[in-house]
Structure formats: C-alpha cells, structure tokens
Amino acid sequence: MRTVAEHQAVVSALFGPPVPVRLSLSEALGRATFDDVDAPLSLPGFDNSAMDGFAVLADDLAGASPDSPVTLPVAADIPAGRTDALALTPGTAHRIMTGAPSPAGADAIVPVELTDAVVGPVAAAETVTFTAPVESGKHLRRAGSDIARGERALPAGTVIGAPQVGLLAALGIAEITVARPLHVVVLSTGSELVEPGKPLRHGQIYESNGAMLTAAAIEAGAIGRHVHFVPDNTGDFLARLDQVAGEADLIITSGGVSAGAFEVVKDALSATGSVEFVKVAMQPGMPQGCGHHTASDRPDGTPGPTVPIITLPGNPVSALVSFEVFIRPALRAAMGLPPQRRRVTARLGADIRSPQGKRQFLRGVLRTDEDGSGVVDPIGPPGSHHLRFLAEADALIDVPTEVDGLAVGSAVDVLVLR
C-alpha cells in the first residue's frame, strides 16, 4: 500500500504554483496577497486632531491654572473635511473636530471638556478659557504616524480579512494582486442518489457527499460548484467530465473507486490510463485515485482541456477525511493560502484501538481538563458511514501506522477542524 505521506505528495504534484490575478477589495476577501503591498501614501496623510477641542500652541498655556486661567481668542473653526490650509497665530486658538487637519503652527489639542466652551453643536464662542497647561504633541495625530509612504503595508502571502481591507481602502487602493482562487467542480455519481427534499424509494439514499465536498472546497478558499447525479454509466460519466473540464481547475468525485462490480468512476477512468487508482494505508479512506482527465476534442478539432481529477471513496466519513488529509492542504497551497490546519498535542480521554499497519484518523472532540491541559475524546464507532459523529467532531486524532492501541492519557497528535 501507498503511505499517507506518499499519496499526499502525489496529490500535491497535481497542482501548479499560485497564479496572480487582479481583484477588487471585496473580491479579494479571503485571498492571499501575491506580492508585497507598499503604501502609496502616508496615514494619516496630514497632522490631524484626535479629539474634539481646540488647536493651540502649548507655550501659550504654559502658565494656565485654575487660579490663573488663560483666555485666547478663537480665530477659526476647523470641521473634518475642511480642505484649505490654515495657520495658527500664536496667542490664538482654533476650534477643531476629530480628524480635522491641524493648522500649521499648532502643536497640541485641548479637549473641549477641559475648557469653558459649551459642548455640542452650538455657535462658536469668540474666546475660550484654559485652566491647565498642555503637553506639546498631546492629542495630535502626526502625518505618517500609522504608516509612511513607501513602507510595506502587507507582505506577500497575507490573507485578506476585514482589517486588511480597511487598511488598503484607507490607502486608496481599489484593486490588489492576489493568488487566483481555483474553481473546483464536485461530481456526485450513483444511480441510488436522490436530491434532498424528494421522496425516497426502497434502496435509494439522499445525496450528501457532493454537497459536503463542495462546502469543504469553499471553506478551503476555492470556488466550488456541485454537479448533481451522474448515473452509474461510464459513457454518461465521461461525457459529464468533458462538460465541466473547461471550467474546472480541479474535479473531485466520490464513490465508484473500490473493487465492486459497478465502480463507474474506476471503470471509466482506468480505460484512459491517466488516473491512477491505489490503496493508501489509512483508515478511513483506503481506496484513492488521482491523475488528469483530458476532455474529448472540440467540434472545431482543437484539443479538449486537461484538468486534474481526484477520486475519493464513497462513504461520507472516508470522503471528508480524505479531503482534509490530501486535498485541502494542496488546494490551499495552490492558492497561496496557509495549507495546514492547526495541529496540537492532547491527551486521550479514552482508550483507543487502531488497525496496525494503517494510519487512522479518529473523530474527536477537544476540551480543556481541570488542570488546563488539552484532552481529546474519541467519539463514535470507526465505521466510515457514521456521518452524525463526523458532524459532532471538531478534531481528527492522527494515530500513527505502527500503533495498534493507546491508553487513556496518552499524548496524541490532533488535527483541529474548527
């Protein structure tokens, strides 16, 4: 059998390096910057007030006290958004709002609450009285104090979230170069599958893998599309692959890859010789396949596109664990995103058994013990059809190949899913 690490390497080789694309800020959310982003301007772009109050020269208030107040004439009002440049004459004050440009010559802002001025939207007083000195630079936001023009705003590989969007917008950047998101098409195969919401006949089941794997691809940062219900017919299956090959960077199927008599995926793709079907020494998820599908020539004679394809087992737990172990890291790396989920070491909350010679991924729930240490409780039986316990799990317990059992309290490696 192929080891998990060996199959991970094979799957990773299906993907090329990240490709740059220019996107608007809203479209770039969740994407990774392709290059360093340097600030095209400084933030703030000008000296401005951090408070509603009065712009002053600190030396004018050096002797101010309750017993010896200093009264200055108010020479100007500066609301936020005022665009003409003002200069403060020594011995005067300017009433100023938060974010408004500080007048040249002013070196401090006194909050309105520390003066005799009336708080609120009233007409400006002709004078203002101060009863305490102010430190030079107080409540002044200096130009470039956040970031200077030409300084690195975001390094390459930064995942764009709300704070990054805020910074880029403040810098006047409307578009950014990020690693292109990949388009993943998930095909649901099986004549027994029925769309949720419709009645079931005996021997039929509701289709879940396609919806689940499409959601997993989207959660991983890709653009996912689910193509429903390809019947168990090799001709229909190959025709549907040809239809979606032009739009997909990756095709994922589930089911039809074992050793049964009606394994449509394996039968159809084995004939082309471009997909390799193997057994991987893991549980769940032993039967795996991956390679490339080349679509039939187009009507004008031009060659059809070639797209990577990964065929997963059909049991739902096997399918999603396989996605987590093989596809998610490689898919995210190809989009310039951090490829791995967080891994932690935790103590087992119960004894476990594991098939020797296979690397097992058990569903688990993480918790914190009384002493503050991490504990992971295995949940559910090992059968790969127990979808309920997969939905409850927030971790996968990674049990090494050579281990056939571990006692409660043993340290284990845990892949954190949420």
Side-chain angles (χ1 to χ4, degrees):
M1 289 190 190
R2 181 179 283 174
T3 68
V4 169
E6 288 169 344
H7 195 63
Q8 285 173 326
V10 172
V11 170
S12 294
L14 297 175
F15 297 87
V19 175
V21 64
R22 196 80 174 163
L23 296 178
S24 69
L25 292 190
S26 60
E27 294 171 320
L29 189 66
R31 309 298 169 200
T33 54
F34 195 82
D35 303 302
D36 292 343
V37 180
D38 295 334
L41 50 81
S42 296
L43 289 180
F46 48 85
D47 292 353
N48 70 85
S49 175
M51 303 289 287
D52 292 338
F54 292 87
V56 297
L57 183 65
D59 284 349
D60 288 339
L61 306 186
S65 69
D67 295 330
S68 181
V70 173
T71 299
L72 299 178
V74 178
D77 267 338
I78 312 176
R82 184 165 179 172
T83 58
D84 55 328
L86 297 177
L88 179 76
T89 301
T92 68
H94 288 184
R95 189 167 77 154
I96 192 168
M97 302 298 108
T98 302
S102 176
D107 64 357
I109 305 294
V110 179
V112 65
E113 294 86 351
L114 301 183
T115 73
D116 69 340
V118 177
V119 178
V122 296
E126 294 184 356
T127 62
V128 60
T129 299
F130 306 89
T131 57
V134 64
E135 180 184 350
S136 178
K138 191 71 171 177
H139 301 307
L140 263 182
R141 301 166 176 161
R142 293 297 186 185
S145 58
D146 188 1
I147 188 170
R149 179 180 180 180
E151 189 177 351
R152 182 177 297 173
L154 298 175
T158 300
V159 179
I160 303 297
Q164 290 74 32
V165 168
L167 173 60
L168 294 169
L171 290 169
I173 297 173
E175 292 184 342
I176 187 172
T177 301
V178 297
R180 184 178 72 87
L182 299 187
H183 289 72
V184 176
V185 174
V186 179
L187 265 64
S188 295
T189 63
S191 299
E192 77 280 12
L193 301 179
V194 175
E195 184 178 355
K198 294 184 177 180
L200 289 176
R201 298 173 60 188
H202 180 69
Q204 294 181 326
I205 61 172
Y206 286 121
E207 199 284 325
S208 60
N209 281 7
M212 178 176 65
L213 292 170
T214 303
I218 294 170
E219 284 182 345
I223 298 171
R225 185 166 86 86
H226 182 197
V227 177
H228 294 267
F229 316 127
V230 181
D232 284 334
N233 178 284
T234 57
D236 291 343
F237 174 70
L238 290 173
R240 189 60 61 89
L241 286 183
D242 285 357
Q243 290 174 3
V244 303
E247 69 178 78
D249 297 298
L250 172 67
I251 297 172
I252 299 175
T253 68
S254 65
V257 297
S258 296
F262 299 99
E263 306 296 344
V264 62
V265 175
K266 189 174 184 179
D267 293 344
L269 295 176
S270 293
T272 68
S274 58
V275 175
E276 181 184 20
F277 293 92
V278 298
K279 292 181 178 180
V280 178
M282 67 181 287
Q283 187 185 61
M286 183 177 67
Q288 300 285 336
C290 65
H292 292 84
H293 171 71
T294 300
S296 302
D297 291 348
R298 291 170 175 160
D300 62 2
T302 57
T306 297
V307 59
I309 183 169
I310 298 174
T311 64
L312 301 179
N315 280 318
V317 178
S318 299
L320 191 59
V321 169
S322 297
F323 183 94
E324 288 289 339
V325 173
F326 300 119
I327 300 177
R328 189 179 191 276
L331 181 63
R332 286 180 62 82
M335 297 185 291
L337 298 169
Q340 293 289 2
R341 289 195 187 272
R342 186 167 60 96
R343 281 185 175 267
V344 299
T345 299
R347 293 185 294 106
L348 279 173
D351 297 344
I352 62 170
R353 304 295 300 171
S354 185
Q356 193 168 28
K358 291 185 179 181
R359 186 169 165 184
Q360 188 175 36
F361 294 90
L362 291 172
R363 287 144 286 180
V365 175
L366 281 165
R367 60 181 171 87
T368 302
D369 209 350
E370 293 82 359
D371 61 1
S373 61
V375 177
V376 61
D377 295 313
I379 61 168
S384 56
H385 64 289
H386 292 287
L387 192 54
R388 166 196 167 185
F389 296 104
L390 182 64
E392 293 180 7
D394 61 9
L396 291 177
I397 305 168
D398 190 349
V399 185
T401 305
E402 66 277 7
V403 172
D404 60 5
L406 290 171
V408 59
S410 299
V412 288
D413 189 26
V414 177
L415 184 68
V416 182
L417 300 179
R418 293 197 294 269

